[in-house]
């Protein structure tokens, strides 16, 4: 069964450093998403991406965040200058598109980001 | 309550019993999705129910949706120890917006 994959599973970085989190969405999906879950808190939406551009973003997704689809398979989230409060589990998700239908979002296993 | 709030927050049952979790939301939705998360792991998609549907089944799972009450329920029948996890509902607003809003989840403990 196709699944979303994410690398690395755990990333430790120093405050102020740049990190890139990588995702490989399900191959026939065209909508991609990033969510995060701070320990003990709700899963929060960050951004959605379709047709090589951001289609929707939350207030969390400020100028220090960016997303990219560098090739036909990868989808990345970059955090330019990490802060302590960026420590969280980051989930990538993808969904099919079929006309205007809103479909299931399938999530990857997550990358646990720890900012020291 | 906030969009996509589940109750109870925690539920402990014996293996073989049924588990019912509820979700309430505030704004109109296109669909509502239920997910399972084992401790510290990823989110596993369980079922999606659209705003024009009232009930869906998938194996031992039964989901209902009452848009007039802005609520949904997830029933797990004949629970197993392996069902121990946190369960979340997530709502999609539609009208061009696909961002899911998650609730705080119900922690289900199934005792063997």
């Amino acid at each position: 069964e196709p699944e979303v994959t994410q690398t690395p599973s755990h990333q430790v970085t120093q405050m102020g450093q740049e990190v890139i989190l990588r995702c490989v969405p399900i191959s026939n999906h065209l909508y991609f998403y990033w969510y995060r879950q701070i320990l003990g808190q709700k899963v929060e939406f960050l951004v959605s991406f379709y047709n090589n551009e951001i289609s929707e973003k939350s207030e969390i997704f400020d100028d220090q965040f960016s997303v990219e689809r560098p090739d036909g398979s990868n989808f990345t989230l970059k955090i330019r200058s990490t802060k302590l409060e960026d420590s969280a589990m980051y989930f990538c998700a993808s969904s099919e598109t079929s006309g205007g239908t809103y479909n299931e979002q399938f999530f990857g296993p997550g990358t646990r980001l720890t900012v020291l | 309550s906030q969009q996509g709030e589940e109750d109870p927050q925690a539920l402990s049952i014996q293996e073989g019993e049924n588990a019912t979790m509820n979700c309430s939301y505030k704004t109109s939705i296109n669909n509502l999705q239920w997910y399972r998360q084992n401790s510290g792991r990823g989110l596993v998609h369980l079922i999606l129910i659209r705003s024009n549907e009232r009930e869906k089944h998938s194996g031992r799972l039964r989901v209902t949706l009452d848009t007039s009450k802005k609520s949904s329920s997830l029933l797990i029948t004949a629970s197993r120890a392996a069902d121990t996890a946190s369960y979340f509902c997530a709502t999609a607003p539609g009208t061009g917006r696909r961002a899911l809003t998650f609730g705080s989840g119900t922690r289900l403990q199934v005792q063997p």
Side-chain angles (χ1 to χ4, degrees):
Chain A
E1 186 173 326
E3 58 183 20
V4 177
T5 59
Q6 291 185 241
T7 54
S9 57
H10 193 183
Q11 174 92 47
V12 180
T13 190
Q14 295 291 324
M15 191 169 54
Q17 295 296 304
E18 175 184 285
V19 294
I20 297 176
L21 310 183
R22 303 179 192 280
C23 167
V24 179
I26 295 172
S27 62
N28 64 332
H29 287 185
L30 296 178
Y31 263 98
F32 315 124
Y33 313 84
W34 284 101
Y35 291 80
R36 78 174 185 189
Q37 185 180 31
I38 295 171
L39 188 64
Q41 298 187 22
K42 296 182 183 183
V43 176
E44 301 173 289
F45 169 76
L46 294 178
V47 65
S48 63
F49 192 86
Y50 172 72
N51 201 24
N52 282 319
E53 60 182 25
I54 291 172
S55 56
E56 201 178 342
K57 62 181 181 179
S58 72
E59 292 179 351
I60 302 168
F61 194 86
D62 61 22
D63 291 345
Q64 71 159 344
F65 291 93
S66 62
V67 289
E68 192 179 27
R69 183 134 165 99
D71 53 44
S73 59
N74 290 285
F75 179 53
T76 62
L77 174 69
K78 181 192 289 187
I79 309 175
R80 289 190 183 81
S81 179
T82 50
K83 304 171 189 168
L84 295 176
E85 54 265 37
D86 293 328
S87 294
M89 181 76 93
Y90 287 80
F91 294 107
C92 175
S94 68
S95 64
E96 284 185 291
T97 58
S98 50
T101 303
Y102 296 72
N103 294 314
E104 295 87 345
Q105 293 185 25
F106 294 97
F107 282 69
T111 292
R112 182 166 298 284
L113 176 65
T114 302
V115 182
L116 302 176
Chain B
S1 63
Q2 299 179 31
Q3 186 81 347
E5 283 300 316
E6 295 90 341
D7 80 271
Q9 291 186 332
L11 181 61
S12 181
I13 60 174
Q14 296 294 316
E15 212 166 23
E17 294 180 338
N18 296 340
T20 300
M21 288 158 270
N22 302 297
C23 168
S24 61
Y25 58 92
K26 281 189 162 181
T27 62
S28 62
I29 62 170
N30 174 277
N31 65 69
L32 186 147
Q33 305 183 41
W34 283 91
Y35 289 85
R36 184 185 75 228
Q37 184 180 38
N38 290 82
S39 181
R41 308 288 293 275
L43 294 157
V44 176
H45 189 274
L46 297 177
I47 202 163
L48 178 153
I49 188 164
R50 301 193 187 280
S51 60
N52 61 352
E53 298 175 310
R54 292 297 165 257
E55 187 171 313
K56 281 188 88 167
H57 296 255
S58 177
R60 293 184 296 112
L61 306 180
R62 173 178 169 256
V63 168
T64 62
L65 179 65
D66 186 336
T67 53
S68 66
K69 295 180 179 177
K70 292 187 167 58
S71 67
S72 173
S73 67
L74 170 67
L75 168 67
I76 304 173
T77 60
S79 62
R80 306 166 181 168
D83 295 328
T84 295
S86 291
Y87 292 81
F88 298 89
C89 67
T91 53
T95 59
R97 294 166 52 218
R98 287 176 162 76
L100 292 177
T101 299
F102 281 80
S104 303
T106 293
R107 290 188 310 279
L108 174 65
Q109 177 77 41
V110 182
Q111 307 284 353

